[in-house]
Amino acid sequence: MANERKKPQSGAGHRQGSLGAAVHRASQKQRVRPSARANARKAAINQRPMPQPPARRPVKRAAVGAAVSTELASQIERVHDKFERLESQAQMEDVFSAIGKIDSQLTELPFTLEALRDRGYVHSGRLEDKLEALDDKWDEVRPRVETAIAEQVERLDRELDQTERQVTRLSNANAAVVKSVDSAVDSLGSRITAARRALDGLYDGIQTELYQIEYTLGQVGKMLDLMAGSQEIRLLEAEGPLLAVKAKWQQDGEDGPQGYLFLTDQRLLFEQREEVVTKKRFGIFKAESEMVQKLHIAVQVHEIEQITHKEEGGFLGMGKDDILELVFAATANLSRARFHLDGQDSEDWAAMLNRIQSGEIDGDRSEAYLDELEAAEITSASFPEQCPNCFAAIPEQPRGVTLYTCEFCGATVPPVSASK
């Protein structure tokens, strides 16, 4: 391809270990298992089950008198329908459901996070603390929510009785009575809405944060699944996966292979994964095809010299394409690349690339993985200045490289500390 340059083989090509091997290393570490807090919450929920809404009120719909006009009968029917919906809403079923969901999330999310740690996810190191802080906060808020629900449901039940007495007047009502009852039902609806908002305000902050964490962990799980589905991707020492997105590598205008773009705290990788037509019938219709899966790009993030993100196309601000354009250093095996990201913002990718290049991303690691990070940095700094075979200069190696292949004589050079 015209935009590629040949690159001497680096130590990454000789390194043992796949995603599975990285997971094995992680599992051998001294790990913090899911907190006793999560186990205690499970037991507490069994002893204090999710609150249930009160039983639905029986719907009493009076028959409309024969003397009532068709138009007025239709209005009465609408008022009855509206009141029945309010009877259901006044039970606060969604609030009871929200309480149960929060209980469930605070119980399960620590285990979900721990499972992702076991699979090699080393970043978002503050999530464990954040989940514990939310758990503490929920322990304080939950009793207040239950008390407030009980009070609101009891009050609304009385107001339902009062409004129901108004609704029973509709059987032989005139237009003025229907209007009055309709107004009473609307007023009840406003009070129910206000009560629901007041209850939501007690826990919506916790609920929002938990949904954000749940979404984040779901994305991490999908990323690890995609990486585990590759036969070619090999993680370097202390390398931590960060992002994955479906993408097209636009090598020539809009054309190019489709697959997945991966970002770790050390490298950018693109693997083609698509069905490719190998034979057509009449030059138009697909006759034969094959699934192509091939790792095309694996470059160090420090080899990226220029990062550009932008949106292209679309109509009136809708349907725009997220584009990530990169220019690489001379040491990379290609000079530039352009990717169309499907489903994620190129701006977010650019920001993450900048965080990696600045070293800021290392501060986001889980504490359980800081020791391997330190070891990898020491190893990378321990290469000799010259190749012991041909005396060619050895450039400074990035973190995670445990073997260097001399670009002049092909000799494999280990770090000084490893060669002693």
Side-chain angles (χ1 to χ4, degrees), residues 338-358:
R338 172 186 166 95
F339 301 99
H340 171 207
L341 309 187
D342 184 1
Q344 293 182 24
D345 292 339
S346 56
E347 183 177 3
D348 293 340
W349 275 72
M352 187 64 78
L353 285 166
N354 287 323
R355 290 187 66 200
I356 298 169
Q357 290 185 332
S358 70

Side-chain angles (χ1 to χ4, degrees), residues 20-48:
V23 172
H24 176 74
R25 291 197 307 272
S27 65
Q28 301 306 308
K29 297 174 64 64
Q30 181 66 36
R31 307 298 303 280
V32 178
R33 305 310 302 173
S35 66
R37 179 190 301 266
N39 288 312
R41 176 166 291 282
K42 272 191 172 182
I45 289 175
N46 289 334
Q47 296 174 1
R48 187 183 62 184

Side-chain angles (χ1 to χ4, degrees), residues 17-24 115-116 118-121 219-235 241-244 260-264 267 269 271 273 293 295:
S18 61
L19 181 62
V23 172
H24 176 74
L116 294 175
D118 286 341
R119 296 179 61 191
Y121 184 62
Q219 293 299 106
V220 170
K222 292 177 182 177
M223 172 187 67
L224 295 178
D225 289 343
L226 288 169
M227 295 191 77
S230 172
Q231 296 298 317
E232 294 189 76
I233 294 178
R234 301 288 186 269
L235 290 182
L242 287 168
L243 296 173
Y260 290 93
L261 189 65
F262 298 96
L263 182 62
T264 74
R267 294 183 298 165
L269 308 104
E271 183 173 73
R273 294 190 197 181
Q293 184 170 351
L295 183 63

Side-chain angles (χ1 to χ4, degrees), residues 27 54 93-94 98 114 119 139 146 149 154 242 245 247 250 257 267-268 280 313 332 339 349 356 359 381 391:
S27 65
E93 292 183 3
D94 57 337
E114 181 64 20
R119 296 179 61 191
D139 282 342
E146 289 189 65
I149 290 176
E154 183 179 357
L242 287 168
V245 66
Q250 296 180 331
R267 294 183 298 165
L268 180 81
K280 292 183 178 180
F339 301 99
W349 275 72
I356 298 169
F391 303 106

Side-chain angles (χ1 to χ4, degrees), residues 163-402:
T163 307
E164 188 174 20
R165 286 194 286 271
Q166 295 287 324
V167 172
T168 57
R169 300 168 55 203
L170 294 173
S171 56
N172 288 291
N174 55 35
V177 172
V178 172
K179 183 177 180 180
S180 174
V181 174
D182 191 29
S183 177
V185 171
D186 284 341
S187 178
L188 173 64
S190 297
R191 293 194 295 275
I192 291 175
T193 299
R196 291 160 65 90
R197 287 176 179 170
L199 292 172
D200 288 346
L202 295 175
Y203 61 81
D204 58 357
I206 296 175
Q207 186 181 54
T208 298
E209 290 194 74
L210 286 173
Y211 274 116
Q212 290 174 344
I213 293 174
E214 188 173 56
Y215 175 79
T216 297
L217 297 186
Q219 293 299 106
V220 170
K222 292 177 182 177
M223 172 187 67
L224 295 178
D225 289 343
L226 288 169
M227 295 191 77
S230 172
Q231 296 298 317
E232 294 189 76
I233 294 178
R234 301 288 186 269
L235 290 182
L236 306 179
E237 186 70 24
E239 186 174 21
L242 287 168
L243 296 173
V245 66
K246 190 174 182 180
K248 176 187 282 189
W249 180 16
Q250 296 180 331
Q251 297 171 302
D252 184 14
E254 295 298 312
D255 294 328
Q258 298 187 43
Y260 290 93
L261 189 65
F262 298 96
L263 182 62
T264 74
D265 54 12
Q266 296 186 41
R267 294 183 298 165
L268 180 81
L269 308 104
F270 175 79
E271 183 173 73
Q272 180 183 10
R273 294 190 197 181
E274 62 177 331
E275 185 180 13
V276 176
V277 176
T278 57
K279 185 177 180 181
K280 292 183 178 180
R281 184 178 292 112
F282 307 116
I284 301 176
F285 304 105
K286 180 177 71 174
E288 295 180 8
S289 65
E290 64 177 1
M291 184 65 188
V292 176
Q293 184 170 351
K294 180 177 177 58
L295 183 63
H296 289 285
I297 298 175
V299 297
Q300 295 285 336
V301 173
H302 74 84
E303 293 180 305
I304 302 174
E305 292 187 338
Q306 184 176 328
I307 303 167
T308 303
H309 65 85
K310 53 187 173 181
E311 292 181 334
E312 292 183 352
F315 179 71
L316 298 177
M318 303 294 290
K320 291 188 176 181
D321 295 335
D322 267 280
I323 304 298
L324 183 68
E325 294 182 342
L326 306 172
V327 177
F328 300 95
T331 54
N333 61 355
L334 72 170
S335 59
R336 60 180 63 245
R338 172 186 166 95
F339 301 99
H340 171 207
L341 309 187
D342 184 1
Q344 293 182 24
D345 292 339
S346 56
E347 183 177 3
D348 293 340
W349 275 72
M352 187 64 78
L353 285 166
N354 287 323
R355 290 187 66 200
I356 298 169
Q357 290 185 332
S358 70
E360 179 188 348
I361 195 64
D362 291 340
D364 189 45
R365 281 199 163 226
S366 169
E367 291 184 1
Y369 295 90
L370 291 178
D371 54 346
E372 68 177 25
L373 178 62
E374 293 171 0
E377 289 176 332
I378 292 171
T379 299
S380 297
S382 300
F383 283 95
E385 294 183 357
Q386 294 179 320
C387 171
N389 187 54
C390 69
F391 303 106
I394 295 179
E396 182 179 348
Q397 296 301 297
R399 183 182 75 234
V401 174
T402 57

